[in-house]
Amino acid sequence: ADTTYGRETRQLAAKPPQPGANLVTTLDFDLQRIAEELLDAESHTGSMVVMDPRNGQILAMASRPAFDPNSFASRLSATAWSALTTHPKKPLHNRAIQGQYPPGSVFKMITALAVLEEGVATERTQVCCPGHYVYGRRVYRDWKRTGHGCVTVYEALAQSCDVYFYHMGQELGIDRLAHYAKAFGLGKVTGFAPQREARGLVPSSQWKRRARGEPWYGGETLSVAIGQGYTSVSPLQVANFIATLANGGSLYQPYAVLRQESSSGVLMEVFKPKLLGQLDLQPQHLKAVVQGMWQVVNGPRGTGRRARH
């Protein structure tokens, strides 16, 4: 047997270690800690993303369940690797950028803005909600079975009235809805981690013909208008679209590195905000949507009023 196998026999050369460069991130330590603690508190499966809407900087990003990256510093045992890869909740999956989910009611902001921008309705237009919406021979239910009464876009957003958005989605049509969703960065990678990001999906009549070989049916638009149906997004895409609304229409590429410095503190590279697109939106329409969302928490019938402080 070869007794030298796996043993050091002689030194060929030696090269002293050099300290690596320092990476200064955009993360806010306190926000990052809070995000992780909130997810850990109830052993949640999910993610959180916090962004600065002024420039696209990531202030916090967390995904659960997670794993200890230090375990990869040395050779991972086959048992440990198997535990990670076969875990039913997929801890190696970064839900913040790789998860793809129906956006749900946050999509109603896109529907509302599209309605106002396209002149389908004004801020004063009312839709009366009896708790359901009839389209063809099918009845689409509102989440509130007793209905919301007659609502404008402000009340519709604050109370998350499905019937308002069913009606407006039908008036808009799928392709106009898709246009605005894509303008806000949905259905494509943000550029934060392009090789690992989920693209998501913004459906359109053209997409369905190509992907399914079928025409688009009007009833399917109702589901899309409230963030359901074929639509899927990543949490990072949602955070970026909300940031774009908040800053007045500037779509930034999310980023998490501020600058790179040498080990002695010499500046090597600075990373600046990158503008991906500028939405040409009417200020009064943006204001209406933002005001509607403000009422979600602060209005007397807002669906998020329990979060008020």
Side-chain angles (χ1 to χ4, degrees):
D2 185 356
T3 57
T4 64
Y5 182 77
R7 300 166 66 100
E8 180 180 325
T9 56
R10 63 193 176 97
Q11 187 178 53
L12 298 176
K15 186 176 181 180
Q18 298 292 326
N22 297 320
L23 214 58
V24 181
T25 73
T26 64
L27 297 175
D28 181 298
F29 180 82
D30 291 330
L31 283 177
Q32 181 67 28
R33 176 177 53 81
I34 291 169
E36 295 186 13
E37 288 177 354
L38 287 172
L39 286 170
D40 288 337
E42 303 292 335
S43 299
H44 283 313
T45 296
S47 66
M48 286 192 188
V49 179
V50 183
M51 290 181 62
D52 187 333
R54 299 169 298 182
N55 46 35
Q57 291 179 3
I58 301 290
L59 303 180
M61 180 182 286
S63 176
R64 290 293 186 273
F67 60 93
D68 182 2
N70 290 319
S71 61
F72 285 88
S74 57
R75 186 178 181 85
L76 207 63
S77 70
T79 303
W81 175 248
S82 178
L84 284 174
T85 55
T86 60
H87 194 290
K89 292 188 177 180
K90 301 180 180 179
L92 295 175
H93 185 69
N94 185 345
R95 287 168 167 78
I97 64 173
Q98 295 173 315
Q100 299 186 81
Y101 314 100
S105 289
V106 295
F107 192 88
K108 291 173 181 176
M109 285 181 274
I110 290 179
T111 305
L113 197 56
V115 162
L116 297 174
E117 284 286 308
E118 292 294 307
V120 169
T122 71
E123 298 94 318
R124 297 180 299 278
T125 302
Q126 287 190 327
V127 171
C128 294
C129 169
H132 63 273
Y133 182 80
V134 179
Y135 182 79
R137 291 182 291 179
R138 185 173 172 185
V139 177
Y140 293 79
R141 299 290 179 184
D142 193 284
W143 70 266
K144 187 176 181 181
R145 289 198 169 270
T146 56
H148 298 271
C150 295
V151 295
T152 64
V153 66
Y154 300 106
E155 291 89 22
L157 286 168
Q159 299 171 40
S160 198
C161 174
D162 292 330
V163 167
Y164 177 93
F165 294 100
Y166 288 149
H167 177 80
M168 292 303 177
Q170 201 58 54
E171 292 291 316
L172 275 167
I174 186 57
D175 291 326
R176 284 197 285 184
L177 264 177
H179 168 78
Y180 282 89
K182 290 175 180 177
F184 277 101
L186 304 187
K188 55 189 173 185
V189 297
T190 68
F192 175 73
Q195 301 305 314
R196 295 187 294 124
E197 277 187 73
R199 179 179 294 274
L201 174 64
V202 173
S204 65
S205 59
Q206 184 182 25
W207 165 81
K208 195 178 179 200
R209 280 194 300 271
R210 185 176 64 247
R212 303 290 178 93
E214 298 176 352
W216 185 268
Y217 300 110
E220 294 174 315
T221 308
L222 275 63
S223 296
V224 173
I226 63 166
Q228 301 296 335
Y230 297 112
T231 313
S232 67
V233 297
S234 72
L236 178 60
Q237 287 175 328
V238 172
N240 207 28
F241 128 59
I242 301 297
T244 304
L245 264 179
N247 68 33
S250 298
L251 180 67
Y252 287 101
Q253 179 176 294
Y255 69 109
V257 178
L258 273 178
R259 60 184 182 274
Q260 188 176 3
E261 300 173 348
S262 70
S263 57
S264 60
V266 176
L267 187 64
M268 298 169 64
E269 189 174 6
V270 176
F271 297 89
K272 296 181 179 179
K274 181 179 178 180
L275 189 65
L276 299 177
Q278 183 67 51
L279 282 73
D280 185 17
L281 304 169
Q282 294 295 315
Q284 68 269 27
H285 297 158
L286 267 172
K287 185 178 179 181
V289 174
V290 170
Q291 180 63 25
M293 293 310 299
W294 183 86
Q295 290 187 29
V296 169
V297 173
N298 297 284
R301 299 173 67 187
T303 54
R305 59 188 179 279
R306 286 191 299 175
R308 188 187 314 153
H309 293 292

